[in-house]
Amino acid sequence: CGARVILATRSARRGEAAASRIRRDTGNNEVRFMHLDLASLRSVRAFAGTFLRQEPQLHLLINNAGVSAGGTTEDGFSLPFQVNHLGHFLLTQLLLERLRSCAPSRVVIVASSAHCAGRLHPESLGRPPSGLFSTFQDYCDSKLANVLHARELATREQGTQVTCYAVHPGFVNTSLFRHAPLWLKPLLLPLAWLLFLDASEGARVVLDCATQDGLEPLSGRYFTDCGPRLPWPAGRDDRLARALWEGSERLVGL
């Protein structure tokens, strides 16, 4: 669409390669890479500071991450919860004033239908869940957090012309399963190749929420490739959304 686009990702090699490929394929030279590691709150703050110094305009923020690996971050939080939610929560808050000053503007948060299995407990946010399928549960919890983040952000930004949308892009064949247990990969990888969308197909609903006219009255809603849909009951829990917001502020030091 001729926009100036910043690709914020942790891998300089892959980020620069993607930016170069997009410039070549589209003819738009205003596509740039900037380093951002969502597993480090220090990196999120550094990115936001650099962006705000260098870029006077921000009309669209797309928060897209889907880490499903176990482990903890340098900040002491579970890896999926920080990368998929906390890092984006902090980034959005740090850039929010710029989004307001450039309004009308949008925040698109890439969620997942996996939020159906999410179980968020405000008193234990950021801690890895226990159990045999703890990594999968952690991923589902983070995706429920995405849906609730969009819902609460929309509520708090009423009247500012900053709108927000949570999006399930479909089941997309990216590198989501690269951290799956070795015994599970022979089952997951063929399924991904046979049944999942490729990345360009998965991007369509995200781009629709980013660019489609007239979505402002639907701020805070959850979208799939069929349009706005009701999320699962936990994704409509306003008390849980507020508790998640307040807990997230505490965890990232806001």
Side-chain angles (χ1 to χ4, degrees), residues 20-157:
S20 175
R21 185 171 65 250
I22 295 168
R23 289 195 298 268
R24 183 187 68 239
D25 291 350
T26 66
N28 179 4
N29 289 321
E30 295 296 312
V31 180
R32 296 288 179 266
F33 158 79
M34 286 178 63
H35 180 262
L36 170 63
D37 184 356
L38 292 162
S40 165
L41 298 182
R42 177 173 45 83
S43 175
V44 174
R45 292 181 186 277
F47 169 85
T50 301
F51 179 90
L52 291 172
R53 286 193 304 272
Q54 296 181 357
E55 301 291 334
Q57 302 290 321
L58 180 60
H59 300 98
L60 173 64
L61 174 64
I62 300 178
N63 291 328
N64 175 36
V67 168
S68 63
T72 56
T73 68
E74 65 180 45
D75 301 291
F77 305 118
S78 85
L79 183 66
F81 194 76
Q82 177 165 337
V83 171
N84 299 350
H85 168 65
L86 275 183
H88 281 148
F89 178 85
L90 176 60
L91 179 64
T92 303
Q93 291 302 99
L94 295 175
L95 299 180
L96 193 52
E97 202 53 53
R98 182 62 51 83
L99 285 162
R100 289 171 181 159
S101 70
C102 296
S105 55
R106 295 182 182 184
V107 179
V108 178
I109 301 174
V110 180
S112 169
S113 61
H115 78 274
C116 67
R119 298 195 301 264
L120 289 175
H121 305 286
E123 70 280 0
S124 59
L125 288 177
R127 296 183 211 157
S130 58
L132 181 61
F133 298 104
S134 60
T135 300
F136 175 72
Q137 185 63 56
D138 214 357
Y139 175 79
C140 295
D141 294 349
S142 72
K143 292 293 134 180
L144 174 58
N146 292 156
V147 174
L148 293 173
H149 180 199
R151 190 176 183 89
E152 184 68 10
L153 179 60
T155 298
R156 291 174 181 250
E157 291 303 303

